[in-house]
Amino acid sequence: MRDYQPLIDSKVVSLWRLFNIFGKGLSFMITPETMLMGFLTVIAIFIVSKDVLNISFSIEFTIFSAGCIFPTTFSVEAAFDRRELAMERLAKLKATIVALFSQFIFLDQSRTGAAAIQIRPLLGNLVDHIEIFCRSPDQRKAAHWVYDDLSRLSESIHAVSLTHFGRSAAKAVDQPTGLCWGFLGALCTEFEGLAAIRSSETPRGLRLFSYALINLSCIALAPFWAHFCSHEVFQDTAGIGEDFLGHGAADALEGDLPQRLGCASAYLVGALFTVIVLSLFRVQQELVDPFDGRGPDDIRWDAR
């Protein structure tokens, strides 16, 4: 039995992880907005049912599904690509900073580490200010802090090249100093690329259109969901001669099955459609600003 215990433990852990993922998925989908729109969808289906307004129609559902789902999935893809590009820029910034710091360690002719000690606080401030720039709503002020750090770095490179790299004052630049200037130029380039991503968004008009269409379609499609009732068959699941909505077998025999106050399929499919489209839109909304660190798919600033 002991031989099987690790296998049993791993199965239990895997099962628990699946339940955990399932629970997180439900909590992501079931939001106050989703519950409100689901409730309004059910009310709309009830209002257009046979005994109230008696409104129903059958159309090609692809028109509505494409109009609601395609713009949202397109926005999700655009937001995801934007997040991946931002992460690539941040990775290059970090790599360039590490490489520049390494130059101050290995090019120091005194071998005392004095050059690296001098540059380390400047690079630390630069990293902090880049994070503030990405996460702060006041981008202009934070950007000036980053530009000031880059200016101080250039001054430090010029000074350290004379005192620690062995550059002669008669020379404008030598090979060790040129390497440092190259890394500083790469820092400026990558930061400008990150700033361009930070100052832009996914198409705002497309997001507004998707949000309005999703909420309107949840209500406007109520007659279409009500049309499902004409295809629903009677099932005496409770053994009392009626289904759970109070419809009897006599209704089905008399051709009265287009249910008087709606039917299970109409309410279920209508509510499910509402949950699906609103959940897709929430995924897109969570990716609009990948820098704030609030969403599950945002950039992890604590992973350093």
Side-chain angles (χ1 to χ4, degrees), residues 15 57 70 89 102 106 132 239 267 301:
L15 186 61
F57 56 73
F70 174 74
R89 294 289 186 181
S102 300
F106 297 110
I132 294 173
Y267 291 121
W301 295 102

Side-chain angles (χ1 to χ4, degrees), residues 267-280:
Y267 291 121
L268 177 62
V269 177
L272 185 61
F273 174 80
T274 300
V275 171
I276 290 173
V277 292
L278 285 177
S279 297
L280 280 175

Side-chain angles (χ1 to χ4, degrees), residues 74-189:
F74 177 81
S75 297
V76 169
E77 184 178 359
F80 184 79
D81 290 342
R82 179 171 173 265
R83 190 202 70 166
E84 292 298 299
L85 185 58
M87 292 181 65
E88 181 181 349
R89 294 289 186 181
L90 286 170
K92 289 182 178 179
L93 274 170
K94 183 177 179 180
T96 306
I97 290 173
V98 172
L100 179 59
F101 182 68
S102 300
Q103 300 304 308
F104 279 79
I105 295 176
F106 297 110
L107 296 179
D108 187 357
Q109 294 184 354
S110 65
R111 302 301 180 186
T112 61
I117 294 174
Q118 181 177 340
I119 201 70
R120 183 171 181 175
L122 298 179
L123 294 177
N125 290 335
L126 177 62
V127 171
D128 292 338
H129 290 157
I130 290 176
E131 179 177 347
I132 294 173
F133 169 77
C134 291
R135 306 183 70 175
S136 173
D138 189 0
Q139 300 177 29
R140 180 173 298 182
K141 182 178 179 180
H144 282 298
W145 293 345
V146 175
Y147 292 136
D148 290 341
D149 291 334
L150 293 174
S151 177
R152 295 188 188 98
L153 275 175
S154 63
E155 293 175 357
S156 181
I157 290 174
H158 177 74
V160 169
S161 65
L162 292 172
T163 58
H164 295 83
F165 292 171
R167 180 175 69 88
S168 172
K171 291 184 178 181
V173 66
D174 57 359
Q175 184 177 4
T177 311
L179 290 174
C180 294
W181 286 121
F183 285 122
L184 182 63
L187 273 177
C188 296
T189 302

